[in-house]
Amino acid sequence: MAEQEKNNQPPSAIWAMLRTSIIGRAINRLAGPFVDAQILNVIQEYFPKARLIPHSRTDILHIETRLSHVTRKFVHTTFSVILKDPQIDELCLAMEVGGYKALLFGFTSEKILWFLRSKDFYLLDIEAWDNYRLCLDNTEIGEILTPEVEPSLRLE
Protein backbone atom coordinates (compact mmCIF):
# COMPACT_ATOMS: atom_id res chain seq x y z
CA MET A 1 0.00 0.00 0.00
CA ALA A 2 2.81 2.44 0.90
CA GLU A 3 4.52 1.59 -2.41
CA GLN A 4 1.32 2.41 -4.31
CA GLU A 5 1.08 5.78 -2.53
CA LYS A 6 4.68 6.56 -3.60
CA ASN A 7 3.83 5.77 -7.22
CA ASN A 8 0.80 8.08 -7.16
CA GLN A 9 2.78 11.07 -5.86
CA PRO A 10 3.41 13.87 -8.31
CA PRO A 11 7.02 14.21 -9.50
CA SER A 12 9.29 16.48 -7.53
CA ALA A 13 9.86 20.05 -8.67
CA ILE A 14 13.50 19.23 -9.48
CA TRP A 15 12.50 16.29 -11.67
CA ALA A 16 9.86 18.42 -13.43
CA MET A 17 12.46 21.12 -14.22
CA LEU A 18 15.01 18.54 -15.34
CA ARG A 19 12.48 16.77 -17.56
CA THR A 20 11.43 20.11 -19.11
CA SER A 21 15.08 20.97 -19.76
CA ILE A 22 15.77 17.59 -21.38
CA ILE A 23 12.68 17.85 -23.58
CA GLY A 24 13.56 21.43 -24.53
CA ARG A 25 17.10 20.46 -25.52
CA ALA A 26 15.84 17.51 -27.56
CA ILE A 27 13.38 19.76 -29.40
CA ASN A 28 16.12 22.32 -30.08
CA ARG A 29 18.44 19.66 -31.48
CA LEU A 30 15.75 18.17 -33.69
CA ALA A 31 14.12 21.45 -34.69
CA GLY A 32 17.34 23.46 -35.01
CA PRO A 33 18.10 22.71 -38.68
CA PHE A 34 14.45 23.21 -39.63
CA VAL A 35 14.26 26.54 -37.78
CA ASP A 36 17.55 27.69 -39.31
CA ALA A 37 16.25 26.84 -42.79
CA GLN A 38 13.05 28.80 -42.16
CA ILE A 39 14.99 31.85 -40.96
CA LEU A 40 17.30 31.66 -43.96
CA ASN A 41 14.27 31.46 -46.29
CA VAL A 42 12.96 34.74 -44.86
CA ILE A 43 16.35 36.44 -45.32
CA GLN A 44 16.74 35.03 -48.82
CA GLU A 45 13.60 36.90 -49.84
CA TYR A 46 15.78 40.01 -49.53
CA PHE A 47 19.16 38.48 -50.40
CA PRO A 48 18.92 35.33 -52.55
CA LYS A 49 22.61 34.47 -52.07
CA ALA A 50 22.54 34.78 -48.27
CA ARG A 51 23.92 31.89 -46.26
CA LEU A 52 24.25 30.78 -42.66
CA ILE A 53 27.73 30.99 -41.19
CA PRO A 54 28.61 28.57 -38.41
CA HIS A 55 29.40 30.52 -35.26
CA SER A 56 31.33 29.32 -32.24
CA ARG A 57 28.48 30.54 -30.06
CA THR A 58 25.22 28.65 -30.33
CA ASP A 59 23.20 31.67 -29.16
CA ILE A 60 24.18 33.86 -32.13
CA LEU A 61 22.71 33.43 -35.59
CA HIS A 62 25.20 34.61 -38.21
CA ILE A 63 23.94 35.26 -41.74
CA GLU A 64 26.08 36.72 -44.51
CA THR A 65 24.35 38.45 -47.42
CA ARG A 66 27.41 38.00 -49.65
CA LEU A 67 27.02 41.59 -50.85
CA SER A 68 30.10 43.73 -51.14
CA HIS A 69 30.74 47.31 -52.20
CA VAL A 70 27.75 48.68 -50.32
CA THR A 71 27.65 51.88 -48.33
CA ARG A 72 26.99 52.21 -44.62
CA LYS A 73 23.79 54.09 -45.46
CA PHE A 74 22.63 51.18 -47.66
CA VAL A 75 23.26 48.72 -44.81
CA HIS A 76 21.38 50.93 -42.33
CA THR A 77 18.43 51.44 -44.68
CA THR A 78 18.26 47.76 -45.63
CA PHE A 79 18.19 46.51 -42.06
CA SER A 80 15.63 49.18 -41.13
CA VAL A 81 13.35 47.79 -43.85
CA ILE A 82 13.84 44.24 -42.55
CA LEU A 83 12.90 45.35 -39.02
CA LYS A 84 9.68 46.89 -40.35
CA ASP A 85 8.72 43.75 -42.29
CA PRO A 86 5.49 42.15 -41.02
CA GLN A 87 7.37 38.83 -40.75
CA ILE A 88 9.76 40.20 -38.09
CA ASP A 89 7.65 38.72 -35.29
CA GLU A 90 7.83 35.31 -36.95
CA LEU A 91 11.59 35.72 -37.34
CA CYS A 92 11.90 36.57 -33.63
CA LEU A 93 9.79 33.58 -32.67
CA ALA A 94 11.87 31.26 -34.85
CA MET A 95 15.09 32.66 -33.37
CA GLU A 96 13.76 32.12 -29.84
CA VAL A 97 12.81 28.52 -30.66
CA GLY A 98 16.31 28.05 -32.10
CA GLY A 99 17.85 29.35 -28.87
CA TYR A 100 19.29 32.49 -30.47
CA LYS A 101 19.67 35.77 -28.59
CA ALA A 102 21.22 37.85 -31.34
CA LEU A 103 21.46 38.10 -35.10
CA LEU A 104 24.75 38.94 -36.74
CA PHE A 105 23.90 40.10 -40.24
CA GLY A 106 26.86 40.61 -42.49
CA PHE A 107 27.86 42.50 -45.56
CA THR A 108 31.47 42.44 -46.74
CA SER A 109 32.34 45.83 -45.26
CA GLU A 110 29.80 46.10 -42.43
CA LYS A 111 28.14 43.84 -39.88
CA ILE A 112 24.89 44.43 -38.09
CA LEU A 113 24.35 43.12 -34.59
CA TRP A 114 20.74 42.97 -33.50
CA PHE A 115 19.40 41.65 -30.22
CA LEU A 116 16.00 40.00 -30.43
CA ARG A 117 13.02 42.35 -30.36
CA SER A 118 15.20 45.43 -29.99
CA LYS A 119 14.22 48.60 -31.84
CA ASP A 120 17.84 49.51 -32.45
CA PHE A 121 20.86 47.67 -33.82
CA TYR A 122 24.60 48.12 -34.02
CA LEU A 123 26.48 48.87 -37.22
CA LEU A 124 30.01 47.53 -36.99
CA ASP A 125 32.75 48.26 -39.50
CA ILE A 126 35.54 45.70 -39.94
CA GLU A 127 37.66 47.09 -37.10
CA ALA A 128 34.75 47.34 -34.65
CA TRP A 129 33.63 43.83 -35.63
CA ASP A 130 37.11 42.36 -35.04
CA ASN A 131 37.29 44.02 -31.59
CA TYR A 132 33.78 42.90 -30.68
CA ARG A 133 34.34 39.35 -31.91
CA LEU A 134 37.37 38.93 -29.65
CA CYS A 135 35.34 40.08 -26.63
CA LEU A 136 32.36 37.94 -27.60
CA ASP A 137 34.44 34.80 -28.04
CA ASN A 138 35.69 35.19 -24.48
CA THR A 139 32.23 35.66 -22.99
CA GLU A 140 30.15 32.76 -21.74
CA ILE A 141 27.26 31.55 -23.85
CA GLY A 142 24.01 33.10 -22.75
CA GLU A 143 25.78 36.29 -21.72
CA ILE A 144 25.70 38.83 -24.53
CA LEU A 145 27.87 41.93 -24.66
CA THR A 146 26.91 45.12 -26.38
CA PRO A 147 29.61 46.50 -28.67
CA GLU A 148 31.42 49.73 -27.90
CA VAL A 149 29.64 51.69 -30.62
CA GLU A 150 26.49 53.78 -30.46
CA PRO A 151 23.31 51.90 -31.41
CA SER A 152 21.59 52.90 -34.64
CA LEU A 153 17.86 53.46 -34.65
CA ARG A 154 15.91 52.04 -37.53
CA LEU A 155 14.55 54.47 -40.07
CA GLU A 156 10.83 55.11 -39.76
Side-chain angles (χ1 to χ4, degrees):
M1 185 76 153
E3 188 176 313
Q4 187 178 14
E5 286 178 11
K6 279 186 179 179
N7 291 338
N8 290 334
Q9 290 181 353
S12 70
I14 293 173
W15 171 244
M17 287 188 316
L18 184 61
R19 184 179 61 208
T20 301
S21 175
I22 291 169
I23 291 170
R25 286 183 184 169
I27 288 171
N28 279 345
R29 288 200 190 267
L30 296 173
F34 175 75
V35 169
D36 290 353
Q38 294 306 312
I39 292 170
L40 189 58
N41 284 339
V42 169
I43 298 299
Q44 285 178 335
E45 288 179 16
Y46 291 95
F47 304 101
K49 293 183 179 183
R51 63 186 174 122
L52 287 171
I53 304 294
H55 201 278
S56 60
R57 292 182 56 123
T58 57
D59 58 350
I60 294 183
L61 178 63
H62 187 166
I63 296 177
E64 285 293 326
T65 63
R66 303 177 79 187
L67 280 182
S68 58
H69 301 89
V70 296
T71 64
R72 189 173 183 86
K73 183 177 180 179
F74 175 83
V75 173
H76 186 267
T77 302
T78 300
F79 201 71
S80 292
V81 168
I82 290 171
L83 288 180
K84 289 193 292 188
D85 190 300
Q87 291 183 341
I88 195 67
D89 288 332
E90 292 173 24
L91 175 64
C92 289
L93 193 58
M95 287 179 65
E96 287 169 347
V97 167
Y100 299 113
K101 293 183 180 248
L103 171 66
L104 184 62
F105 195 66
F107 296 82
T108 302
S109 58
E110 305 280 339
K111 304 278 187 235
I112 290 175
L113 178 66
W114 177 64
F115 298 106
L116 277 177
R117 304 195 186 279
S118 177
K119 299 216 181 286
D120 57 9
F121 52 91
Y122 297 89
L123 274 164
L124 306 170
D125 61 19
I126 298 301
E127 183 180 344
W129 164 240
D130 287 340
N131 292 336
Y132 179 72
R133 184 176 60 194
L134 289 173
C135 294
L136 191 61
D137 288 347
N138 293 317
T139 305
E140 290 195 31
I141 294 193
E143 192 177 314
I144 301 284
L145 273 278
T146 56
E148 293 182 9
V149 297
E150 288 296 314
S152 300
L153 291 174
R154 70 178 184 201
L155 302 173
E156 292 301 324

